[in-house]
Amino acid sequence: VVEDGQALVDELVSLLDLESIEKDIFRGRQSEGGNHRGDVFGGLVAAQALMAAGRTVEPDRSPHSLHAYFIRRGDPSVPIVFTVDRIRDGRSFTTRRVVAIQHGQGIFALEASFQLAQPGIDSQTPMPVTAPPESFTEFEATYVDSPQGDFVRRLPFEMRQVPAIDPSAPPGSGYQWLKAKGRLPDDPLVHACALTFATDLVPARAVLDAFASGRTQESFRTASLDHAVWFHRPFRADEWLLVDAESTTASGARGLGTARMYAADGRQIATLAQEMMIRVV
Amino acid sequence: VVEDGQALVDELVSLLDLESIEKDIFRGRQSEGGNHRGDVFGGLVAAQALMAAGRTVEPDRSPHSLHAYFIRRGDPSVPIVFTVDRIRDGRSFTTRRVVAIQHGQGIFALEASFQLAQPGIDSQTPMPVTAPPESFTEFEATYVDSPQGDFVRRLPFEMRQVPAIDPSAPPGSGYQWLKAKGRLPDDPLVHACALTFATDLVPARAVLDAFASGRTQESFRTASLDHAVWFHRPFRADEWLLVDAESTTASGARGLGTARMYAADGRQIATLAQEMMIRVV
């Protein structure tokens, strides 16, 4: 399993190694088969778009936030071209916009902001207390026979679901541990992109757990509408990260999921938000 | 006070009534004096940008989310031109991008998604229990002698801070009631824009309360970096709305604030997120 895991992570790193077509134009190949529905996996598009942005930014600046919209369904059978607009190069902050293009149309648009490391107030509320990841079953085990089993097995991330201790906790809230299945190179931009890849799975899951549990897979259709990540502190995506996710509302065929992420040493490293379409068929 | 309040609200409505320059190009004047630092008020730019987007969308579609970046400092002495890019007109969703321009440069960029009203799962976690707005002092009263007093008095929104009941609650968390100081027209787009205006004040406040309380105004500088709003259900911005705000982390001269908003009848109507720059001088 360790060897397979490292191969999946190496494949993610290879997918993030975009081909340079021209200044500010990149091309990224897609993973074979796409996601569990045979679509382009949104997390990969977002990760590649962040990489395209980062390739145009001075290496002393790290991404601290991204905001993205999924605009059209992607085609996993052809590569995606990423065009970067250098919105601003400021003294402390650098802003980029990236459009992901297939068949002549934008399928995804992302804006990201990068910052030169700066000192300042460093303070946070504590990480929730939970048992270590070793105590829990691998997420894969619970999906092994489901229609998503193959997609989950091919993911370069492993997840361990923490069972809810408080039985009165709302169904969408809960903790999980998450990390890459193998070692990533040290470049912090790769870790930011890898986390972006993985986080396309996180709030979505909270939304479905909160509002679609008990419904069959066939009774509703879902799609990611947007994706926002704030990166608070340095982290490694190949070490365990605690996800504290929740979803408090669904209405009008949409549900919002949010999550806070922590390194195992307790530092809050990211906050996520994603709105999902949930259409009852 | 009621008369003054209605005049301030009427002025906001007038500021949202953008001048049409060409197809997809609008111009908005700025409020006299800008914000408390003499800058363009970010909430107004965001509200006008959402209005510009909405003016290019079929009236049967309402905004369900926006994501924006503040790119450059604005100039309150000249109007802002808003150019709208019609990213996509889909069957259910419409996507727009708006760039706010002054002196030949983009100062702010917003993407927003609009949706045709759709049935679906309607479910949420309950609104926090708190006392009604009438029980609390007007926010203005606490600011009356501060350097921000004049700006706060000129705001078309009134706020009532709910004192923390739990003394162990983190300083950035807390409730406030918020509503326009006068009546707004019935157009739901005006209410979405008005809420966008007001919400530029909300997570920012949570960040400052959490991480800058006890510091003097002169010891740090702040600016809004981004702004995201998800609109979950219909609402009126001229009726009391409960804000449940928190800020759990500040680091690297940045702090993130988030908030959930509820109508007085308990429906969750919006979720907000905003990252602030907090630079210690």
Side-chain angles (χ1 to χ4, degrees):
Chain A
V1 175
V2 172
E3 291 75 24
D4 284 349
Q6 187 63 54
L8 292 168
V9 171
D10 291 346
E11 169 66 0
L12 172 61
V13 172
S14 158
L15 290 168
L16 291 174
D17 184 21
L18 304 176
E19 178 189 359
S20 211
I21 300 288
E22 235 299 351
K23 189 188 170 196
D24 303 342
I25 305 179
F26 302 90
R27 183 161 58 189
R29 61 184 179 84
Q30 294 309 293
S31 51
E32 234 171 287
N35 70 4
H36 61 284
R37 282 192 305 262
D39 291 345
V40 163
F41 174 54
L44 178 58
V45 185
Q48 289 177 325
L50 182 61
M51 178 56 77
R55 292 266 291 267
T56 71
V57 174
E58 294 297 319
D60 59 359
R61 287 159 191 244
S62 300
H64 66 89
S65 71
L66 67 84
H67 292 268
Y69 273 108
F70 294 93
I71 302 168
R72 290 182 181 86
R73 173 173 246 179
D75 174 357
S77 71
V78 299
I80 297 178
V81 169
F82 297 89
T83 61
V84 182
D85 185 354
R86 298 182 183 234
I87 303 280
R88 183 174 178 241
D89 286 282
R91 267 182 308 167
S92 312
F93 292 94
T94 299
T95 319
R96 293 290 182 262
R97 180 166 196 254
V98 181
V99 179
I101 298 167
Q102 280 186 324
H103 305 299
Q105 287 192 308
I107 62 164
F108 173 84
L110 168 143
E111 298 206 20
S113 182
F114 295 72
Q115 184 199 27
L116 193 65
Q118 281 177 30
I121 299 156
D122 193 345
S123 179
Q124 67 167 81
T125 51
M127 174 168 78
V129 176
T130 184
E134 292 74 20
S135 332
F136 306 109
T137 318
E138 274 184 62
F139 184 76
E140 272 184 41
T142 67
Y143 269 77
V144 70
D145 291 323
S146 86
Q148 298 178 14
D150 192 49
F151 172 65
V152 171
R153 264 190 305 277
R154 283 190 286 115
L155 284 174
F157 279 84
E158 54 183 311
M159 285 167 264
R160 308 267 172 109
Q161 192 69 27
V162 180
I165 297 164
D166 176 5
S168 72
S173 66
Y175 305 130
Q176 54 183 284
W177 289 99
L178 178 85
K179 81 171 179 67
K181 286 176 178 169
R183 208 68 187 157
L184 286 160
D186 290 337
D187 180 0
L189 181 59
V190 169
H191 289 263
C193 293
L195 191 77
T196 301
F197 177 99
T199 55
D200 195 45
L201 301 157
V202 170
R205 198 139 181 268
V207 172
L208 294 181
D209 286 352
F211 302 111
S213 65
R215 290 171 191 265
T216 64
Q217 286 270 330
E218 295 71 36
S219 69
F220 58 92
R221 282 193 304 138
T222 64
S224 301
L225 295 172
D226 60 6
H227 193 172
V229 184
W230 293 266
F231 303 98
H232 305 303
R233 295 177 178 81
F235 64 91
R236 289 194 68 100
D238 54 7
E239 294 177 355
W240 284 113
L241 299 170
L242 182 68
V243 177
D244 176 5
E246 61 181 337
S247 176
T248 65
T249 177
S251 63
R254 293 169 285 111
L256 181 69
T258 58
R260 294 186 176 123
M261 296 187 69
Y262 302 85
D265 64 7
R267 288 173 307 120
Q268 188 179 348
I269 60 110
T271 300
L272 324 172
Q274 185 166 52
E275 194 173 34
M276 300 289 296
M277 186 196 80
I278 329 177
R279 199 171 278 162
V280 178
V281 181
Chain B
V1 174
V2 171
E3 291 75 23
D4 285 349
Q6 188 62 53
L8 293 167
V9 170
D10 291 346
E11 169 66 0
L12 172 62
V13 172
S14 159
L15 291 167
L16 291 173
D17 184 21
L18 304 175
E19 178 189 359
S20 212
I21 300 286
E22 235 300 349
K23 188 186 171 196
D24 302 342
I25 306 178
F26 301 91
R27 184 160 59 189
R29 62 184 178 84
Q30 295 308 293
S31 52
E32 232 171 290
N35 71 3
H36 61 283
R37 283 191 307 264
D39 291 345
V40 162
F41 173 54
L44 177 58
V45 184
Q48 289 177 325
L50 182 62
M51 179 55 77
R55 291 265 291 264
T56 71
V57 174
E58 293 298 318
D60 59 358
R61 286 159 191 243
S62 300
H64 66 89
S65 71
L66 66 86
H67 292 268
Y69 274 109
F70 294 92
I71 302 169
R72 291 181 180 86
R73 174 173 247 179
D75 173 357
S77 71
V78 299
I80 297 178
V81 169
F82 297 89
T83 62
V84 182
D85 185 355
R86 298 182 184 233
I87 303 279
R88 183 173 178 243
D89 285 283
R91 265 182 309 168
S92 312
F93 291 95
T94 299
T95 319
R96 292 290 182 264
R97 180 167 195 253
V98 181
V99 179
I101 298 167
Q102 281 186 323
H103 305 299
Q105 288 192 308
I107 61 164
F108 172 86
L110 169 143
E111 299 206 21
S113 182
F114 296 72
Q115 185 199 27
L116 194 64
Q118 281 177 30
I121 298 157
D122 194 344
S123 180
Q124 67 167 82
T125 51
M127 175 168 79
V129 176
T130 185
E134 292 73 22
S135 332
F136 307 109
T137 319
E138 273 184 64
F139 184 76
E140 272 185 38
T142 69
Y143 269 77
V144 71
D145 291 323
S146 87
Q148 299 178 15
D150 192 49
F151 172 65
V152 170
R153 263 190 304 277
R154 282 190 286 116
L155 284 173
F157 279 84
E158 54 182 312
M159 285 168 263
R160 308 267 172 109
Q161 192 67 29
V162 180
I165 297 164
D166 176 4
S168 72
S173 67
Y175 305 129
Q176 54 183 282
W177 289 98
L178 178 85
K179 81 170 179 69
K181 287 177 180 170
R183 209 68 187 158
L184 286 160
D186 289 337
D187 180 0
L189 181 59
V190 169
H191 289 262
C193 294
L195 192 77
T196 300
F197 176 100
T199 55
D200 194 46
L201 301 157
V202 170
R205 203 144 175 262
V207 173
L208 295 181
D209 286 352
F211 303 110
S213 65
R215 291 172 190 263
T216 63
Q217 286 270 330
E218 295 73 33
S219 68
F220 58 90
R221 281 192 305 139
T222 64
S224 302
L225 294 172
D226 60 7
H227 194 170
V229 184
W230 292 267
F231 302 98
H232 305 303
R233 295 176 177 82
F235 64 90
R236 291 194 67 100
D238 54 8
E239 293 177 356
W240 284 112
L241 300 169
L242 182 68
V243 178
D244 176 5
E246 62 182 335
S247 176
T248 65
T249 178
S251 62
R254 293 169 284 110
L256 181 69
T258 57
R260 294 186 177 122
M261 297 186 69
Y262 302 85
D265 63 8
R267 289 173 308 119
Q268 188 179 347
I269 59 109
T271 299
L272 324 173
Q274 184 166 52
E275 194 174 32
M276 298 290 296
M277 187 195 79
I278 328 178
R279 198 171 278 162
V280 178
V281 181

